[in-house]
Amino acid sequence: MQPATTPLSSYVETWHPEAVTAHDPMDPGPAAAISALLDLPEPAARTGDPLPPLWQWFHFLRWPAQHELGPDGHLRDARFLPPIPDRQRMFAGGRCEITEPLRLGEPAERVSSLGAVTPKHGRSGELLFVTERQEFRQAGQVCMVEEQDIVYRSGRSAGGQHPATIDDRPAPGPEGPWYLGLRPDPTLLFRLSALTANAHRIHYDAPYCHDTEGYPDLVVHGPLLALLMLDVVRRNAPERRVRSLSFRLRRPVFAGEHLLAEGTPSGTGAQLRTATHRDAQHATAEVTFASPELGCCDDH
């Protein structure tokens, strides 16, 4: 093995994974399941309806064999996992351009490819920023393009950056007109892991969180923070269709903490955030609406 001082860029100089295509029938079951998880009175989308933004995360799932998982529950190897030693990963954020929402009940195709690979130096050492690009197609047309930014490091960062205990005070009061609250518990995190084929132990194994990762409790999925912010938009502006969105996951939230997801609309979109009493910006997002004349459920 190369010494720890080897630059991360040297491990990916010849790393050029090819694009891969996946298919999904876009069954309405996942939309019904995530609607139940969010305590919605009925499914947010049924067969023939447009899928809410980011709910494509509950489709195109891969269930690997058990022996393919590492000690942390993540895959040991996969097409878009960079070949660096003692790899640790963090979902940092992403962007999405939606020309036409995906529709439930209509088979879809996803083409995944590697975007940018950028080494950077942070306060805790060298990092590798990897962007995965995904094109979603239905009826032969590109409906949506998503980019996900994943940050990797080799080895663990120095301890002490996480709080020693959770902050279970009530959520802060909203500053914007759109908001919803949530207190994620272990049951909710377990169900979300199951719905996304996510076996990462930080979301369900409390001793592992404490002893290995140094977290005070189970970690709330970063994607849940993004989903909550987008659901604030869906609940408060159901007639407006999201044309584009971007989000950034900044600091983790832990099970038992009271979350506030809120949004401030403008004429063309909205600014969003998730907060606890511990931090005013665990995640932030921005959405842009499609032109009003397009509506929210236009036919193809």
Side-chain angles (χ1 to χ4, degrees):
M1 180 179 293
Q2 300 188 51
T5 54
T6 302
L8 293 185
S9 58
S10 67
Y11 293 97
V12 295
E13 287 177 350
T14 60
W15 181 57
H16 303 292
E18 295 182 355
V20 61
T21 300
H23 297 87
D24 193 281
M26 300 304 293
D27 185 89
I34 189 60
S35 296
L37 181 75
L38 296 175
D39 269 333
L40 303 182
E42 59 183 19
R46 304 178 188 271
T47 299
D49 291 340
L51 193 67
L54 301 182
W55 286 31
Q56 70 272 14
W57 291 345
F58 302 97
H59 295 267
F60 301 94
L61 301 182
R62 179 191 172 193
W63 289 93
Q66 193 68 17
H67 72 267
E68 297 181 66
L69 303 180
D72 61 356
H74 270 309
L75 282 165
R76 296 179 187 274
D77 294 294
R79 187 178 300 258
F80 299 112
L81 292 178
I84 61 177
D86 194 18
R87 183 179 54 237
Q88 309 294 323
R89 71 189 294 276
M90 181 185 69
F91 188 16
R95 296 155 298 286
C96 202
E97 294 286 336
I98 307 171
T99 304
E100 182 72 25
L102 294 172
R103 301 247 171 189
L104 288 180
E106 181 176 328
E109 177 183 84
R110 183 188 69 187
V111 179
S112 302
S113 59
L114 182 67
V117 180
T118 309
K120 294 185 179 181
H121 283 272
R123 289 178 296 178
S124 58
E126 191 177 11
L127 304 171
L128 193 69
F129 285 73
V130 175
T131 298
E132 183 178 337
R133 186 177 189 273
Q134 300 178 339
E135 286 189 1
F136 295 85
R137 300 185 176 115
Q138 281 184 322
Q141 301 296 319
V142 175
C143 298
M144 177 171 58
V145 176
E146 179 186 1
E147 292 184 337
Q148 294 185 357
D149 300 325
I150 313 295
V151 181
Y152 295 92
R153 72 170 68 251
S154 181
R156 300 190 182 279
S157 61
Q161 72 270 37
H162 304 303
T165 59
I166 67 167
D167 183 344
D168 60 358
R169 289 177 294 172
E175 297 178 2
W178 296 353
Y179 60 91
L180 65 87
L182 182 71
R183 190 183 190 186
D185 61 15
T187 303
L188 186 149
L189 301 187
F190 173 83
R191 296 178 73 190
L192 184 60
S193 289
L195 286 172
T196 52
N198 184 350
H200 196 183
R201 292 170 65 182
I202 63 172
H203 303 307
Y204 61 85
D205 187 339
Y208 175 85
C209 286
H210 301 151
D211 302 338
T212 302
E213 300 282 358
Y215 293 123
D217 212 315
L218 300 178
V219 179
V220 174
H221 306 66
L224 178 61
L225 306 185
L227 287 164
L228 288 175
M229 289 187 290
L230 268 293
D231 212 50
V232 167
V233 177
R234 187 192 63 79
R235 296 181 190 213
N236 289 276
E239 76 288 352
R240 300 302 302 271
R241 178 162 71 81
V242 173
R243 176 64 178 81
S244 65
L245 65 95
S246 63
F247 63 94
R248 183 177 176 187
L249 305 175
R250 299 172 180 272
R251 282 168 285 278
V253 178
F254 304 103
E257 294 187 318
H258 294 266
L259 265 177
L260 171 74
E262 72 164 2
T264 301
S266 66
T268 58
Q271 299 287 330
L272 304 138
R273 68 167 181 145
T274 57
T276 66
H277 259 299
R278 181 164 53 82
D279 200 303
Q281 289 190 338
H282 288 276
T284 55
E286 180 177 356
V287 302
T288 301
F289 295 131
S291 300
E293 61 267 19
L294 293 179
C296 66
C297 302
D298 298 304
D299 292 334
H300 288 272

